[in-house]
Amino acid sequence: MFQKSQSAGYLVNHMARLFATGLHRRIAGLGLAPAQFMTLLELWAEDGLTQAQLVERLDVEQATMANTLKRMERDGLIERRAHPGDKRALQNWVSERARSLQEPAIQAAQAQNAQALEGVSEEDKATFLRLAHKIIANMQDG
């Protein structure tokens, strides 16, 4: 018989939903949604990425990323400009508004992580992160 308490997929999915809900609650006051935050994390690290680069880095569907970028442009979080080397592509640049949200948004995410890992030893945190990376790699390879 299937026991959800023993299912890695069920537990990880449940944990991911709780993380996303908590993050959403923490960043909503900044005018950000979780999909916008993860996109901004990539652009804060390397401004000017194309939609295709973001799709690859975030492992999301092309249509999902297109909609996210459209909303981000509408909300004044990014500016889209023609790519100088590829007339078909647009580069996505962080706006001043989004740049001003970087520190508070990252602090909100860190607070969510701290809440989730409260009472977990440093050794167990390191093990959890190592295993999470391994499981993600297994899923991406297979």
Side-chain angles (χ1 to χ4, degrees):
M1 174 162 181
F2 179 80
Q3 293 183 355
K4 63 185 181 184
S5 66
Q6 299 302 309
S7 167
Y10 178 87
L11 293 172
V12 169
N13 189 324
H14 188 155
M15 183 174 26
R17 285 194 320 262
L18 291 171
F19 264 105
T21 299
L23 177 63
H24 184 265
R25 187 174 50 250
R26 291 175 191 274
I27 64 174
L30 300 173
L32 294 175
Q36 294 173 328
F37 175 67
M38 69 181 202
T39 303
L40 284 172
L41 282 174
E42 293 298 327
L43 293 172
W44 287 327
E46 186 178 348
D47 212 0
L49 296 172
T50 65
Q51 180 173 317
Q53 289 170 314
L54 289 164
V55 163
E56 183 178 327
R57 291 180 187 201
L58 295 171
D59 197 19
V60 297
E61 296 291 326
Q62 184 79 19
T64 300
M65 182 53 62
N67 288 332
T68 298
L69 292 171
K70 191 180 296 184
R71 283 192 309 274
M72 291 176 73
E73 184 177 33
R74 178 200 68 203
D75 295 346
L77 296 170
I78 61 168
E79 297 169 9
R80 305 183 86 189
R81 301 183 207 140
H83 189 290
D86 183 350
K87 294 194 186 307
R88 299 168 296 155
L90 294 174
Q91 289 180 293
N92 299 284
W93 298 91
V94 175
S95 70
E96 285 302 315
R97 175 174 179 259
R99 184 75 60 207
S100 73
L101 297 174
Q102 183 174 358
E103 188 176 330
I106 289 173
Q107 287 175 350
Q110 289 170 331
Q112 183 60 39
N113 282 307
Q115 178 190 353
L117 297 172
E118 187 176 334
V120 177
S121 72
E122 291 302 317
E123 181 181 349
D124 285 346
K125 286 178 192 176
T127 299
F128 170 75
L129 293 173
R130 181 179 52 78
L131 290 172
H133 285 286
K134 175 64 177 155
I135 292 166
I136 290 167
N138 288 345
M139 302 278 280
Q140 288 175 330
D141 292 344

